[in-house]
Amino acid sequence: FGTMEGSTLGTPGYMAPEQARGELLRLGPATDVWSLGAILYEILTWQKAFDAPSVLALLEVAARSRPLDPRERSPELRVPEELAEICLQAMSPEPLARFSTAGELAEAVRSFLEGTKLRQRASLLVRESERQWKRWQELEGESKVLADGIRQLEASIEPWAPLGEKAALLRER
């Protein structure tokens, strides 16, 4: 992250706060989770989590700041709430508040993606059921009209009428 051309994972913008502060004894899997969260942030927002005019300023920002919520940073991209929360948890300033491993972060993203597929499938099923319900209502209305027509025919033909006069009634049943 940062404003330098050719940013890489070694730049301060990808460093967890404890790493940017030089707290080497606090480095561990949670530090890597923060860096992965920073990559996820950039994917979600199309922007770096932090910008600064110099490497030193970027180190300070990385050491002391919390990234802006991805939904606020890039509202036009409509970042899903659940995915934004996963990203923010991964980038928490406090290592113990982050996912404890990269695998745990990956599982959270995987679960989100699977849930998205399920929600899309459910949405399709709901739309199809709404279409079927509307069609059922149309057919129910037609059925009532036809039943009324049959009742009218029955009422208009005397039971003792010749079979030829009852032909229309017999065809409707």
Side-chain angles (χ1 to χ4, degrees):
F1 290 38
T3 58
M4 293 95 44
E5 289 292 304
S7 292
T8 67
L9 291 179
T11 62
Y14 285 102
M15 289 185 183
E18 63 274 16
Q19 189 176 14
R21 288 190 297 266
E23 298 170 354
L24 300 179
L25 295 177
R26 294 190 69 196
L27 303 185
T31 306
D32 296 333
V33 167
W34 194 97
S35 295
L36 291 170
I39 293 168
L40 178 59
Y41 190 95
E42 193 167 341
I43 291 169
L44 295 176
T45 64
W46 301 359
Q47 299 180 54
K48 300 174 185 324
F50 302 118
D51 282 320
S54 69
V55 172
L56 288 176
L58 189 56
L59 274 170
E60 182 64 29
V61 170
R64 309 258 179 255
S65 300
R66 180 180 292 269
L68 186 61
D69 187 311
R71 294 166 289 183
E72 293 175 37
R73 183 71 181 256
S74 297
E76 70 283 0
L77 297 177
R78 295 189 301 260
V79 175
E81 179 180 357
E82 185 179 351
L83 198 50
E85 289 174 4
I86 290 169
C87 181
L88 291 172
Q89 181 179 345
M91 293 185 74
S92 172
E94 181 52 49
L96 292 176
R98 298 177 201 147
F99 296 96
S100 48
T101 65
E104 194 177 298
L105 170 59
E107 184 55 37
V109 171
R110 189 177 301 111
S111 292
F112 166 78
L113 293 173
E114 288 172 5
T116 297
K117 289 177 188 173
L118 290 174
R119 285 186 292 277
Q120 287 172 343
R121 176 76 177 131
S123 179
L124 287 174
L125 291 172
V126 165
R127 283 195 302 274
E128 177 62 17
S129 65
E130 287 170 345
R131 190 182 69 74
Q132 293 293 341
W133 173 251
K134 191 174 190 174
R135 180 66 180 137
W136 180 85
Q137 289 176 318
E138 290 168 359
L139 292 172
E140 181 72 11
E142 289 176 26
S143 174
K144 288 178 182 179
V145 168
L146 291 172
D148 287 343
I150 290 172
R151 279 192 291 280
Q152 288 174 2
L153 274 173
E154 286 175 336
S156 70
I157 299 174
E158 298 296 335
W160 55 83
L163 192 54
E165 291 178 26
K166 293 181 180 180
L169 181 58
L170 293 172
R171 277 193 309 271
E172 293 297 322
R173 288 184 176 241

